[in-house]
Amino acid sequence: MQYGGALDQAGRWPEARDALEKAVARGSAQPLALNYLGFAQVEHGDDIPASIRLLERATRLDPTNASITDSLGWAYHLSGNTARALPLLETAAQAEPTNAEISDHLGDAYWSTGRNYEARYAWRAALLTAEPADTARITAKIANGLPVNARR
């Protein structure tokens, strides 16, 4: 799993996917491996339905892990099922209020449903703990919202 993660961070997604699939095959009951592969596939736009199945399995194995809950909610949102995503994203944000990525995802989901005030609130929360590389992107969302058909 760590090797796959390193390849993914290095921009070598096809190789990373292969390594992560091997990690899942070796540890099919390991929620973190399932989450990493499922979330990475979602982020790369690969087979969202298969990713959702991986993330649902990870959630069943570790239902209190906020990162896994966020991943599943984010996958639902990106697949167009924001109504199903919002309760999961809200639960994840409540469990980990200092996780910038979770708050950012929640803001995007709120915005897509017209809940603009709440979206900006979530993005402001994300901005408090965001990595420096993400601050300009989040600040732009606070100022301008999401462009139509924006993925992130």
Side-chain angles (χ1 to χ4, degrees), residues 16-152:
R17 183 181 49 236
D18 290 344
L20 292 167
E21 286 172 347
K22 287 177 186 173
V24 167
R26 290 182 180 136
S28 61
Q30 297 300 317
L32 295 181
L34 293 164
N35 182 58
Y36 200 120
L37 176 59
F39 185 78
Q41 286 183 157
V42 166
E43 287 293 292
H44 290 282
D46 287 1
D47 198 352
I48 303 295
S51 301
I52 288 173
R53 287 190 297 274
L54 289 170
L55 295 167
E56 287 172 339
R57 201 160 94 218
T59 299
R60 283 191 301 275
L61 291 167
D62 192 357
T64 62
N65 184 310
S67 293
I68 294 172
T69 302
D70 168 68
S71 295
L72 180 57
W74 187 238
Y76 285 148
H77 171 66
L78 292 179
S79 71
N81 195 347
T82 302
R84 192 168 183 189
L86 272 172
L88 294 170
L89 295 170
E90 289 169 335
T91 297
Q94 186 175 22
E96 285 194 26
T98 61
N99 185 310
E101 186 172 34
I102 292 172
S103 293
D104 190 24
H105 289 166
L106 179 59
D108 287 10
Y110 278 148
W111 188 271
S112 72
T113 61
R115 295 168 66 177
N116 298 356
Y117 179 83
E118 292 159 290
R120 285 190 169 101
Y121 184 87
W123 290 327
R124 283 186 185 97
L127 194 57
L128 294 174
T129 58
E131 295 293 325
D134 296 325
T135 58
R137 179 181 55 77
I138 295 169
T139 300
K141 287 197 278 189
I142 293 167
N144 307 312
L146 285 178
V148 176
N149 297 324
R151 207 183 111 105
R152 255 193 129 181

